[in-house]
Amino acid sequence: MNFRIRPAGHIRVGPPRSAAPLRIVAALALSLASAAGLCGAQQKPVRVVALNTVLAEIAQVVGGNQASVQGLLQPGVDPHAFEPTADDLRAMMQADLVLASGLQLESYLDRLVTRIDTKGRVLLIGDALPNPLWADEHGRHSDGAREKDPHWWHSIDNVIVATGLVRD
């Protein structure tokens, strides 16, 4: 057995472990509890369109059987090169909620929102995160200013916050 004294004076018994799996389990438990709370009322499922595979998975877990989730971006497709089809636009217009990565990852999104009626139901997850990731030296402007990294899901803390945003 391994004993470690933590900075706050707490003693931990057992092998060292990463906090990341615990955070994932906590986020999923929170999501499932939220979905379970929605199950009491028999309503038509909320129609959700996700423009990112991670957001589609979060929406499916959070919404459970109370959400009908359609992911427009299929696994393996480059989100930077994705261009929505006419069917994708129709799905977005009919959705109760459209989930987007934000932070300009979906370069087409601004044009779409002005052209189609989404009734303000587009949630830009990356734009709503309190602690975004920052781009490396390749993400700098000519004046040296840094950009926010639109790949927010590379941080488990951001995934947990994103799960709460989708839930709420």
Side-chain angles (χ1 to χ4, degrees), residues 65-127:
N65 62 0
Q66 296 298 309
S68 171
V69 180
Q70 178 181 357
L72 298 186
L73 190 68
Q74 299 304 309
V77 175
D78 181 0
H80 301 280
F82 176 74
E83 287 293 329
T85 65
D87 287 340
D88 295 338
L89 297 177
R90 200 170 303 108
M92 289 174 66
M93 288 172 38
Q94 295 171 350
D96 297 311
L97 177 64
V98 177
L99 298 174
S101 295
L103 299 174
Q104 299 300 314
L105 180 68
E106 298 93 352
S107 59
Y108 55 84
L109 193 58
D110 290 340
R111 291 189 319 267
L112 285 183
V113 170
T114 58
R115 290 184 182 160
I116 65 173
D117 183 15
T118 57
K119 297 181 178 72
R121 299 175 311 249
V122 177
L123 179 57
L124 303 174
I125 296 293
D127 296 357

Side-chain angles (χ1 to χ4, degrees), residues 50-59 79-80 99-106 123-135 148-166:
L51 304 179
N52 171 303
T53 55
V54 174
L55 286 172
E57 290 179 38
I58 290 172
H80 301 280
L99 298 174
S101 295
L103 299 174
Q104 299 300 314
L105 180 68
E106 298 93 352
L123 179 57
L124 303 174
I125 296 293
D127 296 357
L129 294 173
N131 296 309
L133 298 175
W134 292 94
K148 293 178 182 177
D149 185 346
H151 307 95
W152 54 263
W153 57 89
H154 291 173
S155 160
I156 191 64
D157 291 331
N158 283 339
V159 172
I160 292 169
V161 172
T163 300
L165 292 170
V166 172

